[in-house]
Amino acid sequence: ALARGVAVIEAAGFRVDQGASVFARDRYLAGDDAARAGDWHAMMADDEVAAVFCARGGYGCGRLLPHLDRQLLRDNPKVFVGHSDLTFLLTDLMQGAGLVAFHGPLVAALDELATSAMLATVTGDRAPWLLTAPTVVQPGTAEG
């Protein structure tokens, strides 16, 4: 599943580097907490990395919070995309480091439609959504 998702991103014209702990194992986690946090720090500090897309989510994401160097994250802002249990990290990036994070698809679950929508959003190439409602509850316009 991860290889398929990586192939979809590469087919869209992006270069993909996978973190060192992607295939590591520590019981049911992808490596121990310090190694996974170190992997993330390395990606965030690397000037060649423009975005971090999570391979998959999982309960262990919350265990990374005590290991995060929020100053490093603030000093090296990048696009960060994930969902599910990664909400721990998304929220901490916004509240703890003051960064923008995207609630979006995981690499191991990507298909061409999800990828094209996600990449267009994070690169700024997405046209605004214009939605019509069958019933108007409160007339007016909204922006978000």
Side-chain angles (χ1 to χ4, degrees):
L2 181 61
R4 282 192 310 270
V6 166
V8 170
I9 294 172
E10 290 175 334
F14 295 89
R15 185 179 52 118
V16 175
D17 291 326
Q18 294 180 38
S21 64
V22 168
F23 295 109
R25 289 287 170 260
D26 181 19
R27 296 175 300 138
Y28 61 90
L29 302 171
D32 65 52
D33 299 341
R36 291 183 298 125
D39 200 22
W40 194 26
H41 289 146
M43 285 184 264
M44 295 299 281
D46 186 341
D47 290 337
E48 294 292 313
V49 175
V52 175
F53 297 92
C54 295
R56 64 183 188 94
Y59 160 78
C61 296
R63 296 168 48 129
L64 297 180
L65 297 178
H67 300 277
L68 296 184
D69 180 344
R70 284 162 191 84
Q71 189 60 51
L72 172 74
L73 302 177
R74 276 190 291 277
D75 291 345
N76 298 280
K78 308 215 185 298
V79 169
F80 182 81
V81 180
H83 80 269
S84 187
D85 286 341
L86 286 155
T87 302
F88 284 117
L89 299 178
L90 295 168
T91 302
D92 194 72
L93 276 176
M94 293 185 320
Q95 293 178 346
L99 300 177
V100 174
F102 293 89
H103 197 264
L106 303 171
V107 176
L110 285 177
D111 58 31
E112 289 185 37
L113 179 60
T115 303
S116 63
M118 176 194 55
L119 294 176
T121 298
V122 300
T123 61
D125 292 335
R126 185 178 188 116
W129 288 340
L130 299 174
L131 303 174
T132 57
T135 304
V136 175
V137 177
Q138 175 68 40
T141 59
E143 187 176 310

